[in-house]
Every structure is written in structure tokens, then in C-alpha cells.
Amino acid sequence: GLLVDNGVPGFRIVSGNFLYASNKSQYVDGDVQYRRAGSGANVLDWAFSGLLPGVYDVSATWFAHSNLATNTPFTALSGGGALLATTTVNQ
């Protein structure tokens, strides 16, 4: 599979201030970017390149905590910016 994690090409902070934590035994690739529950104005972006047309599974991981949002929006866009899917996740 293809992994685009924070700290690699394809990941960027679009807006907002995100916290950073490092723990090799706890996080994917040893670190994480996160933000406590807020207004929804803070945005991260993961871009995948070189994909062939088709159907893909997209996964995201996090540790549950009482200070995280219960209604985090996730949106998938095509390379041209067309809306492919959207969902809301309780973290």
C-alpha cells in the first residue's frame, strides 16, 4: 500500500496550528500532528500522486481521547478537485 504520513511529501498543513508529538512505539512512523477539538477551520491535506483510475481504500488512525473532536470532517477530492466522498468521524 501507499502511505502518506505527516513529515513526508504529499502531507501539508493547509490552515491552523497543529501540535506535534513524537513516540516511536506509539505512532505511525514515530510521530503525529494533532489538534484539540475546535471550530473545524483547521485543515490538513494528504495528496497521493501517480494513482491509476480505480477504487481505493483510505485509512486514518488516531488514539481516542476526550479532548478530540466528535465530528471531524474527512473529504476525498480527485486530482482535478472534484468531490469524491465526504464523511464525519468521531475521534
Side-chain angles (χ1 to χ4, degrees):
L2 180 62
L3 173 68
V4 176
D5 191 26
N6 64 310
V8 300
F11 170 81
R12 70 184 174 113
I13 296 173
V14 176
S15 62
N17 295 314
F18 287 81
L19 302 169
Y20 174 84
S22 176
N23 184 325
K24 297 276 185 214
S25 66
Q26 190 174 18
Y27 304 123
V28 173
D29 284 347
D31 61 357
V32 65
Q33 303 274 162
Y34 68 99
R35 176 136 177 110
R36 290 180 172 76
S39 68
N42 305 292
V43 177
L44 298 174
D45 182 62
W46 294 266
F48 299 84
S49 60
L51 299 176
L52 298 174
V55 176
Y56 292 87
D57 291 322
V58 177
S59 300
T61 60
W62 55 85
F63 289 92
H65 196 282
S66 61
N67 69 356
L68 297 177
T70 59
N71 59 346
T72 300
F74 277 78
T75 302
L77 303 172
S78 72
L83 178 65
L84 299 175
T86 188
T87 190
T88 303
V89 179
N90 181 349
Q91 296 180 314

